[in-house]
């Protein structure tokens, strides 16, 4: 038996079975979205908090499709009684799953000895506010905040900013090269296996449209640049879900 041919067939069969097992309303919503945008990539379809609608995760947004497939809504869905943003909460779950999939070995980490909070920051080595944030890294750490950096060169892949990020990643002392680059020193050109491209693509998937973009461990995007005290207040307000290790 040739596994090279059997495995792709098995995966295709599993995917077909999963789609066949969808509820009729899910299948109708999927068909409606694909009718509007044939090449759309749908991450998930499920019941929406809004009666009579399904919600679909499409990239970094949620869209709502009526169970009969006739109507689609885009926007923010609020629970009036609790004044809760249901759309952002659902996206945070998806963002957490995607960001958590990046192992520590693919992050540039600046952490205190015993972190209380942890954030993931999509960063560009050249952006002004990114540099301002990193210039205060000791203050974030002093407040118990671990900062895990992910690369997001704003000018895109195979650009000077991308090359600079790769060189920093490939440096012998990665954290020192990162700090030097944030201070305006050009890194020594270097190439090696690196996560820069995949982190850039991840940023696009979770809606990063500028840098820095700061995500709490629960997947909530808590801001762009935040001073150390502002970041601490944001994390405290989010509650125990932001504690390091959660």
């Amino acid at each position: 038996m040739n596994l090279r041919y059997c495995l792709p067939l098995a995966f295709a069969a599993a995917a077909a079975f999963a789609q066949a097992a969808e509820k009729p309303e899910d299948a109708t919503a999927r068909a409606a979205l694909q009718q509007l945008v044939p090449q759309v990539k749908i991450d998930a379809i499920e019941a929406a908090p809004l009666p009579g609608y399904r919600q679909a995760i499409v990239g970094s947004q949620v869209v709502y499709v009526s169970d009969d497939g006739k109507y689609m809504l885009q926007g923010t869905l609020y629970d009036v009684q609790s004044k809760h943003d249901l759309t952002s909460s659902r996206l945070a779950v998806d963002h957490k799953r995607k960001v958590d999939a990046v192992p520590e070995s693919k992050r540039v980490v600046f952490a205190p000895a015993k972190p209380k909070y942890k954030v993931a920051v999509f960063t560009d080595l050249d952006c002004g506010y990114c540099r301002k944030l990193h210039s205060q890294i000791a203050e974030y750490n002093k407040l118990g905040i671990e900062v895990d950096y992910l690369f997001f060169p704003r000018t895109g892949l195979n650009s000077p900013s991308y090359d600079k990020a790769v060189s920093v990643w490939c440096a012998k002392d990665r954290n020192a090269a990162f700090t030097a680059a944030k201070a305006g020193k050009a890194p020594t050109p270097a190439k090696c296996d690196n996560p820069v491209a995949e982190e850039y693509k991840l940023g696009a998937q979770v809606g990063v449209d500028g840098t820095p973009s700061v995500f709490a461990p629960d997947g909530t995007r808590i801001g762009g640049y935040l001073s150390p005290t502002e970041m601490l207040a944001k994390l405290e307000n989010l509650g125990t879900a932001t504690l390091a290790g959660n």
Side-chain angles (χ1 to χ4, degrees):
M1 182 178 291
N2 193 327
L3 291 179
R4 288 184 302 167
Y5 298 104
C6 292
L7 286 177
L9 289 174
F11 289 138
F17 175 80
Q19 190 157 325
E22 284 185 327
K23 293 182 179 180
E25 298 90 341
D26 294 341
T28 299
R30 182 182 298 278
L33 287 169
Q34 290 174 335
Q35 182 180 352
L36 281 174
V37 186
Q39 303 304 318
V40 67
K41 183 181 182 300
I42 303 169
D43 292 332
I45 295 181
E46 60 203 15
L50 183 65
Y53 279 78
R54 316 308 286 175
Q55 62 185 17
I57 309 298
V58 181
S60 61
Q61 62 180 319
V62 179
V63 296
Y64 303 95
V65 183
S66 60
D67 288 345
D68 60 9
K70 290 183 177 180
Y71 305 101
M72 186 183 79
L73 298 173
Q74 289 180 281
T76 303
L77 181 64
Y78 286 95
D79 183 314
V80 175
Q81 294 299 318
S82 66
K83 300 179 181 178
H84 187 60
D85 181 342
L86 300 175
T87 303
S88 293
S89 293
R90 179 59 186 87
L91 279 176
V93 173
D94 192 65
H95 293 167
K96 172 180 170 58
R97 174 180 63 81
K98 292 175 179 175
V99 173
D100 283 355
V102 181
E104 185 172 327
S105 61
K106 292 186 177 181
R107 305 175 181 219
V108 181
V109 178
F110 290 83
K114 295 181 178 180
K116 184 178 180 182
Y117 299 101
K118 178 169 68 174
V119 295
V121 179
F122 286 87
T123 191
D124 178 279
L125 292 173
D126 296 317
C127 91
Y129 277 107
C130 297
R131 290 182 171 185
K132 182 175 181 180
L133 189 154
H134 192 67
S135 72
Q136 298 171 292
I137 195 67
E139 296 175 53
Y140 295 104
N141 288 171
K142 187 176 180 180
L143 293 175
I145 302 171
E146 173 182 325
V147 178
D148 291 7
Y149 284 112
L150 305 174
F151 289 103
F152 190 84
R154 295 176 301 167
T155 50
L157 303 180
N158 301 315
S159 66
S161 289
Y162 169 83
D163 293 338
K164 185 180 292 187
V166 170
S167 294
V168 164
W169 180 265
C170 298
K172 184 175 181 180
D173 187 335
R174 186 174 298 150
N175 284 46
F178 185 93
T179 295
K182 288 290 188 180
K185 182 179 179 181
T188 301
K191 290 186 178 181
C192 65
D193 289 337
N194 66 84
V196 178
E198 63 184 273
E199 290 177 1
Y200 176 79
K201 293 173 184 176
L202 171 63
Q205 291 172 14
V206 298
V208 173
D209 53 7
T211 54
S213 284
V214 183
F215 287 80
D218 68 348
T220 301
R221 183 176 175 179
I222 59 174
Y225 168 78
L226 296 166
S227 71
T229 54
E230 289 172 332
M231 187 179 292
L232 179 63
K234 289 267 191 178
L235 292 168
E236 289 175 337
N237 287 338
L238 283 175
T240 56
T242 63
L243 293 175
N246 285 359

